[in-house]
Amino acid sequence: MEIKRLTDHAGAEAVGIDLTQPVSAETKTELNRAFVEHSVLVVRDQSLNPGQVLAAVELFGSIFHQHNTRFALPECPQIHYISNQDRFPDGTRYIPGEGWHTDHSNDSRPPKATVLHAVTLPDQGGDTQFANMAAAYAALPAATKDRIAGLMAIHVYQNSHSTRKLMGLSEANKERVPNAVLHPIVRIHPENGRKSIYVNPIRIEGILGLDHKEALPLLDELLEHAVQDRFQYRHAWRSGDLVMWDNRCLLHKANGDYDMDQTRYLYRVMLQGDVPR
Ligand code: SIN
């Protein structure tokens, strides 16, 4: 196996490994090291069924139970799907993940990683963009770092002010999803100690102790800073890609910029994370 950096600030690809085969302890350590160092790990040229995806991602941790079970595969419910073929109840097309976000931050222990494995891709477009929140934090002016130090954000399933809408939760799902959780706006990566901006436009309802007039412009300012091109890696999908990203220090977004007569379908699974600190 060889690991090659894709940009200076995020992304690396692993080539020369077949995840259907047993992986040595040394290779497992190398993959985990690359994931923490590069935040987005692209394993090329895989052809995995759902059970094989599960086995592969367990090299990196334990499975996180996703909140909205309507996307679970019946034959392997820990694996969900991402597809451009679903519609909201009003008939409009649902493009999951369109808009900057980090996954399931409304959980008390949000997933450390999300993994997608391409099954069917459009001929062109449908890239996934990533923005490195540790690099973005490091580049903040000192005054902004002082201003956001110690602030706690209130995360909910779907906030009241986002223009992007999520697919609603079933009653059974609502019962097991927290109403609201508090997480720091600056979090420390538990494995490499780097500080990151931890914001989520669709899930943050507000900031504890600040009124909306102050909180929402601050969140907008942080987001605008954080998603500048200089902090981004844009992943153009190739057949066989398995892509795993670190939700603790990245925002990501899908792009619905392709021919919607073509199907984009990927397997999706998440790995359990820690309480953000
Ligand atoms: C997601 O936000 O999890 C999906 C990203 C994508 O489909 O590119």
Side-chain angles (χ1 to χ4, degrees):
M1 180 183 73
E2 198 186 343
I3 294 193
K4 300 182 208 162
R5 190 182 272 278
L6 291 166
T7 73
D8 284 346
H9 50 274
E13 63 176 0
V15 292
I17 180 169
D18 176 355
L19 292 172
T20 64
Q21 299 304 307
V23 169
S24 70
E26 194 184 35
T27 301
K28 178 177 167 178
T29 302
E30 179 68 1
L31 286 167
N32 276 274
R33 189 202 55 72
F35 168 65
V36 172
E37 181 178 343
H38 301 289
S39 308
V40 184
L41 181 62
V42 180
V43 187
R44 301 284 192 196
D45 306 320
Q46 305 303 304
S47 177
L48 307 178
N49 63 35
Q52 290 168 327
V53 172
L54 269 191
V57 301
E58 281 172 342
L59 294 167
F60 298 88
S62 56
I63 304 302
F64 173 94
H65 295 282
Q66 300 181 49
H67 289 171
N68 198 338
T69 53
R70 68 171 280 157
F71 302 107
L73 301 184
E75 71 278 21
C76 187
Q78 288 157 303
I79 305 277
H80 286 212
Y81 69 84
I82 290 279
S83 166
N84 64 337
Q85 299 302 316
D86 286 324
R87 291 184 182 266
F88 284 109
D90 69 2
T92 54
R93 192 182 293 276
Y94 176 55
I95 303 295
E98 223 184 4
W100 290 105
H101 65 286
T102 177
D103 285 330
H104 285 53
S105 67
N106 59 316
D107 199 279
S108 53
R109 291 169 64 218
K112 74 169 185 177
T114 302
V115 185
L116 296 184
H117 181 38
V119 178
T120 307
L121 295 171
D123 294 341
Q124 55 186 13
D127 298 353
T128 309
Q129 285 168 264
F130 299 94
N132 184 326
M133 297 293 104
Y137 176 82
L140 281 174
T144 310
K145 287 183 182 167
D146 288 345
R147 185 173 173 210
I148 62 176
L151 289 181
M152 301 294 286
I154 305 154
H155 295 246
V156 296
Y157 179 72
Q158 158 95 70
N159 68 30
S160 56
H161 45 85
S162 168
T163 47
R164 182 165 87 87
K165 297 296 168 221
L166 293 170
M167 199 67 98
L169 292 172
S170 67
E171 290 308 314
N173 287 161
K174 277 184 194 158
E175 276 176 27
R176 58 181 193 91
V177 173
N179 282 337
V181 297
L182 285 176
H183 293 310
I185 284 186
V186 180
R187 70 178 289 188
I188 299 173
H189 196 289
E191 294 185 77
N192 63 21
R194 292 186 75 192
K195 286 185 177 175
S196 288
I197 302 172
Y198 192 58
V199 292
N200 201 357
I202 194 166
R203 307 248 196 216
I204 293 185
E205 184 58 42
I207 299 177
L208 198 65
L210 299 190
D211 65 27
H212 267 21
K213 282 208 293 279
E214 191 178 353
L216 300 187
L218 173 59
L219 291 167
D220 286 347
E221 180 189 321
L222 290 172
L223 183 70
E224 192 183 338
H225 164 81
V227 300
Q228 293 175 70
D229 285 351
R230 62 185 168 132
F231 305 128
Q232 282 194 38
Y233 163 63
R234 184 175 181 122
H235 184 69
W237 286 89
R238 292 187 204 164
S239 173
D241 281 352
L242 179 131
V243 175
M244 171 173 180
W245 65 85
D246 194 330
N247 284 309
R248 300 165 295 189
C249 58
L250 296 174
L251 291 181
H252 64 279
K253 81 191 271 278
N255 282 278
D257 58 353
Y258 50 93
D259 177 358
M260 287 296 152
D261 288 338
Q262 299 187 356
T263 298
R264 182 177 185 271
Y265 183 98
L266 306 96
Y267 295 138
R268 182 193 205 212
V269 58
M270 293 178 183
L271 294 175
Q272 185 63 57
D274 302 314
V275 176
R277 300 197 192 282

